[in-house]
Amino acid sequence: MANLKYLRLPQYEVGRYPKEQLEKVQALFSQAFGGREESLEMLHWQMENNPCLQKRATTLWQDNTLVAYNALTPHPTYLYGKEVVSAVSGTTMADEHFPGTSIQLFTECEKQNDDIAIIYGFPNKNSYNITVKYLNHHYVGDVAFWTTDAKKIEVSDKIKEFDEFSEEYEIISRELAKTHDFIKTRKKEFMDWRFFRKPEYDYRGFEFEKRGFIVVDTYTENENKQLQIVDILADSDEVMSELLKYAVNLANEWECTTVKLWFTSAQYKSVLEEIGFIYGDHPFAMTVWSQDLDISKSYITMVDSDIF
């Protein structure tokens, strides 16, 4: 651990996922996020129903008061050609009345989850400054949106809506692992859980003859309705192009103004640009705990974050 020698911080009692005290997680969430509410249904889905690993939360306590909480979302992954478990560091919150929680929280989280091969996140400014300065978290680059305008275009009639993943997509992701350092394994059970069993979200899936798929939703910001491609996978550039065109046309049909997605893989840059996507909107800093990662050789989409 770096740069901690001269820091004198309070030490709190360390815990794990507080299954019997979830009302305290809800209360801390509301305090940390301006009165927003986290439902029990969402907590159960995220922490208890993940088919990869469950209950990966780290907690800090002062007596019987929950003062800090960090949740990981693990998922099956290929890392440098090896099948492992990775995790995104997602919901992180602390009681502002208890100083110095962040460093201990992230340190204990890493200790508790040493069976996870790689932990990464997209921290806000406050967390970024703490974790990069004081802990061994590596800034590996910004992940920004590819965006284009919605418009009516001709699309393939081979693309149909679906509501259950097939095992073919695990095979395609395994093939793509040969040309990418990092890619989430699109295992059927995990993907069905992530998209079609997630409460409070309305994802729609469209696939090209089980050779590729997109999962989309809509998001409105400043009265601007946008179509988000939350995940995309294809067995060829041709299928990838057809799926992206379908999204652009679908956005027009749904009266959206914009289509946006994350896509870090340099392998598809020309495909995106040919359809009219432009890169660079709203960059998110990405950090990886205790190791580096070349994001241009990584297959990162919105599904790799817990906020989409």
Side-chain angles (χ1 to χ4, degrees), residues 30 49 57 73 88 93-94 185 192 212 214 225 227 249 284 297:
S30 182
N49 298 333
T73 302
V88 58
M93 50 203 184
T185 314
D192 284 340
I214 52 171
K225 186 179 178 183
L227 185 140
N249 188 71
F284 290 74
K297 295 180 181 178

Side-chain angles (χ1 to χ4, degrees), residues 196-265:
F196 299 136
R197 298 182 196 139
K198 186 174 183 178
E200 303 169 21
Y201 283 73
D202 185 22
Y203 298 113
R204 302 274 296 273
F206 301 88
E207 62 183 353
F208 186 107
E209 297 185 328
K210 302 195 185 306
R211 295 180 55 198
F213 72 83
I214 52 171
V215 175
V216 302
D217 69 0
T218 58
Y219 175 73
T220 301
E221 183 177 31
N222 299 324
E223 299 184 355
N224 178 27
K225 186 179 178 183
Q226 306 166 49
L227 185 140
Q228 300 182 137
I229 303 176
V230 186
D231 199 20
I232 185 167
L233 190 81
D235 67 0
S236 68
D237 287 359
E238 292 75 22
V239 172
M240 179 70 69
S241 179
E242 292 298 335
L243 290 166
L244 289 168
K245 289 183 210 176
Y246 192 87
V248 171
N249 188 71
L250 189 65
N252 179 71
E253 291 181 358
W254 289 358
E255 299 182 337
C256 300
T257 60
T258 309
V259 183
K260 65 181 184 181
L261 74 158
W262 280 4
F263 212 166
T264 62
S265 172

